[in-house]
Amino acid sequence: MGSCCPDSVVTSEMKRNLLYCMSVSKFHQLIKKIETVHGGICNDIEDSYLSPEACNVWFNKEIDRKLPFQEKHVLQQGSILGNLEKIGALKRCDKNVECCEIDPEEKGDDKNVPAVVEFGAGRGYLTQMLADCYGVKKVYLVERKSYKLKADRSLRQKENLVLERMRIDIEDLNLNAVESLHGVPYVATGKHLCGPATVHYTLIS
Ligand SMILES: C[S@@+](CC[C@H](N)C(=O)[O-])C[C@H]1O[C@@H](n2cnc3c(N)ncnc32)[C@H](O)[C@@H]1O
């Protein structure tokens, strides 16, 4: 360990370096261990591909934005959101997209609308679709890299939406320290979150 850190502090960079230094055979052993654990936990999870009605504005390309539209990603995002809706984590917005944002009658219910934390958010397109189709009011994008923030710019134009982008490694994230999330129910999402980040994300949320 480097002299700059006390012995008990193991940073994400140190862990990454350990991985990079592994021999090929040790790396294969690690993969086998992960597959065994995954097989033991996840063997009864069924594939569930959904195209929820709430996302029709996106499926039908009715969103007039300068955001890139890639069908494959839109279908994947829609399915993630559909599955979250199916398990009751998201409520669909019955009316049109705009009314989700401005219906004054719904204002009193804001407390019950969950915030959304997207892990490994990349450019934030999953959250963009979520905000367009499910009328969420508070979103947190967790991402360690810096990207062009096209979706962020579009999201920030939504009147009733609060957006926070946290540039941090998920491993170092303590959601209890995020004041604006105190007492707020939240849904944790992620798409194509790779490697150990999935483990940290599962542990945090
Ligand atoms: C394959 S990309 C997916 C991006 C986006 N979710 C999507 O579907 O377009 C994975 C993203 O997760 C981020 N990521 C991976 N591990 C991370 C970690 N430990 N902490 C924060 N971000 C992480 C990467 O930087 C990358 O942007």
Side-chain angles (χ1 to χ4, degrees):
M1 298 211 182
S3 55
C4 61
C5 303
D7 283 351
S8 56
V9 177
V10 182
T11 65
S12 40
E13 193 186 355
M14 289 173 185
K15 290 184 191 169
R16 269 201 299 280
N17 286 340
L18 274 177
L19 203 66
Y20 296 146
C21 294
M22 257 182 194
S23 67
V24 173
S25 67
K26 278 258 181 253
F27 184 69
H28 281 297
Q29 279 174 24
L30 180 66
I31 300 278
K32 272 228 156 333
K33 260 192 207 167
I34 293 169
E35 283 174 349
T36 308
V37 173
H38 181 270
I41 299 169
C42 303
N43 56 4
D44 57 353
I45 297 179
E46 284 172 20
D47 287 347
S48 169
Y49 174 70
L50 299 174
S51 303
E53 228 185 307
C55 295
N56 276 352
V57 277
W58 265 92
F59 296 145
N60 300 334
K61 299 190 190 177
E62 286 162 12
I63 297 281
D64 180 20
R65 292 189 201 283
K66 290 177 184 123
L67 296 169
F69 181 96
Q70 280 187 286
E71 191 170 20
K72 179 180 79 176
H73 291 294
V74 170
L75 295 178
Q76 290 169 350
Q77 285 156 196
S79 186
I80 290 171
L81 301 182
N83 276 288
L84 285 171
E85 185 185 329
K86 188 176 160 190
I87 62 169
L90 287 178
K91 291 238 183 322
R92 67 161 297 183
C93 173
D94 288 331
K95 304 153 217 167
N96 62 41
V97 177
E98 295 307 318
C99 79
C100 289
E101 297 171 358
I102 55 173
D103 187 345
E105 283 177 22
E106 286 185 0
K107 276 210 159 7
D109 294 340
D110 276 9
K111 284 196 295 308
N112 303 320
V113 180
V116 172
V117 183
E118 183 180 351
F119 291 88
R123 293 175 173 81
Y125 294 141
L126 173 62
T127 291
Q128 172 80 56
M129 192 162 168
L130 209 155
D132 286 342
C133 305
Y134 288 89
V136 290
K137 312 274 191 250
K138 240 182 199 180
V139 296
Y140 298 79
L141 305 181
V142 182
E143 171 57 58
R144 68 182 174 202
K145 283 191 196 157
S146 67
Y147 282 99
K148 280 190 184 157
L149 305 176
K150 279 191 192 166
D152 292 39
R153 275 194 286 276
S154 159
L155 284 165
R156 285 186 203 284
Q157 280 168 17
K158 286 180 174 287
E159 243 176 56
N160 292 323
L161 187 94
V162 178
L163 168 78
E164 236 180 87
R165 181 175 273 270
M166 297 185 254
R167 189 159 172 215
I168 188 171
D169 196 300
I170 294 165
E171 179 174 11
D172 303 321
L173 178 66
N174 174 7
L175 281 181
N176 293 328
V178 180
E179 242 174 67
S180 54
L181 253 184
H182 286 176
V184 180
Y186 67 88
V187 175
T189 62
K191 172 172 164 279
H192 292 165
L193 188 54
C194 14
T198 310
V199 179
H200 299 305
Y201 152 58
T202 316
L203 291 174
I204 287 176
S205 45

